[in-house]
Amino acid sequence: MAGNVTLSSSMRTNLLQLQSTQEQINKKQNILST
């Protein structure tokens, strides 16, 4: 990598929340499409 990326604790928390939200969306879309 071209350097370390530093995240503040609030940025890290927001990122984790976005990832879990995206996972929930993917699950629901998968249910709807089947």
Side-chain angles (χ1 to χ4, degrees):
M1 291 178 60
N4 292 334
V5 177
T6 57
L7 295 178
S8 67
S9 59
S10 61
M11 289 171 63
R12 188 183 303 272
T13 300
N14 288 340
L15 184 59
L16 290 174
Q17 288 177 341
L18 278 173
Q19 287 173 336
S20 66
T21 300
Q22 188 63 50
E23 286 179 12
Q24 291 173 0
I25 291 173
N26 289 342
K27 288 178 185 177
K28 286 185 170 58
Q29 285 180 335
N30 187 41
I31 292 173
L32 286 173
S33 65
T34 53

